[in-house]
Coordinates of all heavy atoms in Angstrom, one line a residue:
Chain B
H165 N 24.1 1.2 -11.4 CA 25.0 0.1 -11.1 C 24.2 -1.0 -10.4 O 23.7 -0.7 -9.3 CB 26.2 0.6 -10.3 CG 27.3 -0.4 -10.3 ND1 28.6 0.0 -10.0 CD2 27.4 -1.7 -10.7 CE1 29.4 -1.1 -10.1 NE2 28.7 -2.1 -10.6
N166 N 24.0 -2.1 -11.1 CA 23.2 -3.2 -10.5 C 24.1 -4.4 -10.2 O 25.1 -4.7 -11.0 CB 22.1 -3.6 -11.5 CG 21.1 -2.6 -11.7 OD1 21.3 -1.7 -12.5 ND2 20.0 -2.6 -10.9
W167 N 23.8 -5.2 -9.2 CA 24.4 -6.5 -8.9 C 23.3 -7.5 -8.8 O 22.3 -7.3 -8.2 CB 25.2 -6.4 -7.6 CG 26.4 -5.6 -7.7 CD1 27.7 -6.0 -7.9 CD2 26.5 -4.1 -7.4 NE1 28.6 -4.9 -7.9 CE2 27.9 -3.8 -7.5 CE3 25.6 -3.2 -7.1 CZ2 28.3 -2.5 -7.4 CZ3 26.0 -1.9 -6.9 CH2 27.4 -1.5 -7.0
L168 N 23.6 -8.7 -9.4 CA 22.6 -9.8 -9.4 C 23.4 -11.1 -9.1 O 24.5 -11.3 -9.5 CB 21.9 -10.0 -10.7 CG 21.0 -8.8 -11.2 CD1 21.8 -7.8 -12.0 CD2 19.9 -9.4 -12.1
P169 N 22.8 -12.1 -8.4 CA 23.4 -13.4 -8.2 C 23.6 -14.1 -9.6 O 22.7 -14.0 -10.4 CB 22.4 -14.2 -7.4 CG 21.5 -13.1 -6.8 CD 21.4 -12.0 -7.8
V170 N 24.7 -14.7 -9.8 CA 25.0 -15.4 -11.1 C 24.1 -16.6 -11.3 O 23.8 -17.0 -12.4 CB 26.5 -15.8 -11.3 CG1 27.3 -14.6 -11.5 CG2 26.9 -16.6 -10.1
S171 N 23.7 -17.1 -10.1 CA 22.8 -18.4 -10.2 C 21.5 -18.1 -10.7 O 20.7 -19.0 -11.1 CB 22.7 -18.9 -8.7 OG 22.1 -18.0 -7.9
L172 N 21.1 -16.8 -10.8 CA 19.7 -16.4 -11.1 C 19.5 -16.5 -12.6 O 18.5 -17.0 -13.1 CB 19.5 -15.0 -10.6 CG 18.0 -14.6 -10.5 CD1 17.3 -15.4 -9.5 CD2 17.9 -13.1 -10.3
I173 N 20.4 -15.9 -13.4 CA 20.1 -15.7 -14.8 C 21.5 -15.5 -15.5 O 22.5 -15.1 -14.9 CB 19.3 -14.4 -15.0 CG1 18.8 -14.3 -16.4 CG2 20.0 -13.2 -14.5 CD1 17.8 -13.1 -16.6
D174 N 21.5 -15.8 -16.8 CA 22.6 -15.5 -17.6 C 22.4 -14.2 -18.4 O 21.6 -14.2 -19.3 CB 22.9 -16.7 -18.6 CG 23.9 -17.7 -18.1 OD1 24.7 -17.3 -17.2 OD2 23.9 -18.8 -18.6
L175 N 23.1 -13.2 -18.0 CA 22.9 -11.9 -18.6 C 23.7 -11.8 -19.9 O 24.8 -12.2 -19.9 CB 23.2 -10.8 -17.6 CG 22.3 -10.5 -16.5 CD1 22.8 -9.4 -15.6 CD2 20.9 -10.1 -17.1
E176 N 23.0 -11.2 -20.9 CA 23.7 -10.9 -22.2 C 23.6 -9.5 -22.5 O 22.5 -8.9 -22.3 CB 23.1 -11.7 -23.3 CG 23.1 -13.2 -23.1 CD 24.4 -13.9 -23.3 OE1 25.3 -13.2 -23.8 OE2 24.6 -15.1 -22.9
A177 N 24.7 -8.8 -22.9 CA 24.7 -7.4 -23.1 C 23.6 -7.0 -24.1 O 22.9 -6.0 -24.0 CB 26.0 -6.9 -23.5
H178 N 23.5 -7.8 -25.2 CA 22.6 -7.3 -26.3 C 21.1 -7.4 -25.8 O 20.3 -6.6 -26.4 CB 22.8 -8.2 -27.5 CG 22.4 -9.6 -27.4 ND1 21.2 -10.1 -27.4 CD2 23.2 -10.7 -27.1 CE1 21.2 -11.4 -27.2 NE2 22.4 -11.8 -27.0
D179 N 20.8 -8.2 -24.8 CA 19.4 -8.2 -24.3 C 19.1 -6.8 -23.7 O 18.0 -6.3 -23.8 CB 19.2 -9.3 -23.3 CG 19.2 -10.7 -23.9 OD1 18.8 -10.8 -25.1 OD2 19.5 -11.6 -23.2
L180 N 20.1 -6.3 -23.0 CA 19.9 -5.1 -22.2 C 20.0 -3.8 -23.1 O 19.7 -2.7 -22.6 CB 21.0 -5.0 -21.1 CG 20.8 -6.2 -20.1 CD1 22.1 -6.4 -19.3 CD2 19.7 -5.9 -19.1
D181 N 20.4 -4.0 -24.3 CA 20.5 -2.8 -25.2 C 19.1 -2.2 -25.4 O 18.9 -0.9 -25.3 CB 21.1 -3.2 -26.5 CG 22.6 -3.0 -26.6 OD1 23.0 -2.2 -25.7 OD2 23.2 -3.5 -27.4
T182 N 18.1 -3.0 -25.7 CA 16.8 -2.5 -26.1 C 15.9 -2.4 -24.9 O 15.1 -1.5 -24.8 CB 16.2 -3.3 -27.2 OG1 16.3 -4.7 -26.8 CG2 17.0 -3.1 -28.5
D183 N 15.9 -3.4 -24.0 CA 14.9 -3.5 -23.0 C 15.6 -3.1 -21.6 O 16.8 -3.1 -21.5 CB 14.3 -4.9 -22.9 CG 13.4 -5.2 -24.1 OD1 12.6 -4.3 -24.4 OD2 13.6 -6.3 -24.7
G184 N 14.7 -2.9 -20.6 CA 15.2 -2.6 -19.3 C 15.6 -3.9 -18.6 O 15.2 -5.0 -19.1
L185 N 16.3 -3.8 -17.5 CA 16.7 -5.0 -16.7 C 15.5 -5.8 -16.3 O 15.5 -7.0 -16.3 CB 17.5 -4.5 -15.6 CG 18.0 -5.6 -14.6 CD1 18.8 -6.7 -15.2 CD2 18.8 -5.0 -13.4
Y186 N 14.5 -5.0 -15.8 CA 13.3 -5.7 -15.3 C 12.5 -6.5 -16.3 O 12.0 -7.5 -16.1 CB 12.4 -4.7 -14.6 CG 12.8 -4.4 -13.1 CD1 14.1 -4.5 -12.8 CD2 11.8 -4.2 -12.1 CE1 14.5 -4.2 -11.5 CE2 12.2 -3.9 -10.8 CZ 13.6 -4.0 -10.5 OH 13.9 -3.7 -9.2
A187 N 12.5 -6.0 -17.6 CA 11.9 -6.7 -18.7 C 12.6 -8.0 -18.9 O 12.0 -9.0 -19.1 CB 11.8 -5.8 -19.9
V188 N 13.9 -7.9 -18.9 CA 14.7 -9.2 -19.1 C 14.4 -10.2 -18.0 O 14.2 -11.4 -18.3 CB 16.2 -8.8 -19.2 CG1 17.1 -10.1 -19.2 CG2 16.5 -7.9 -20.4
L189 N 14.4 -9.7 -16.8 CA 14.1 -10.6 -15.7 C 12.7 -11.2 -15.8 O 12.5 -12.4 -15.5 CB 14.3 -9.9 -14.4 CG 15.7 -9.5 -14.0 CD1 15.7 -8.6 -12.7 CD2 16.6 -10.7 -13.8
R190 N 11.7 -10.4 -16.2 CA 10.4 -10.9 -16.3 C 10.3 -12.0 -17.4 O 9.6 -13.0 -17.2 CB 9.4 -9.7 -16.7 CG 8.9 -9.0 -15.4 CD 7.7 -8.1 -15.8 NE 8.0 -7.1 -16.8 CZ 8.4 -5.9 -16.4 NH1 8.5 -5.6 -15.1 NH2 8.7 -4.9 -17.3
R191 N 11.0 -11.8 -18.5 CA 11.0 -12.8 -19.5 C 11.6 -14.1 -19.1 O 11.2 -15.1 -19.5 CB 11.8 -12.3 -20.8 CG 10.9 -11.6 -21.8 CD 11.6 -11.7 -23.2 NE 12.9 -11.2 -23.2 CZ 13.2 -9.9 -23.4 NH1 12.2 -9.0 -23.5 NH2 14.4 -9.4 -23.4
A192 N 12.5 -14.0 -18.1 CA 13.1 -15.2 -17.6 C 12.3 -15.8 -16.5 O 12.7 -16.8 -15.8 CB 14.5 -14.9 -17.0

Side-chain angles (χ1 to χ4, degrees):
Chain B
H165 199 161
N166 295 85
W167 289 266
L168 299 86
V170 288
S171 58
L172 194 72
I173 188 175
D174 264 339
L175 284 179
E176 305 283 347
H178 64 81
D179 287 335
L180 294 160
D181 264 342
T182 50
D183 292 312
L185 175 60
Y186 275 32
V188 172
L189 291 175
R190 273 196 295 269
R191 265 207 303 278

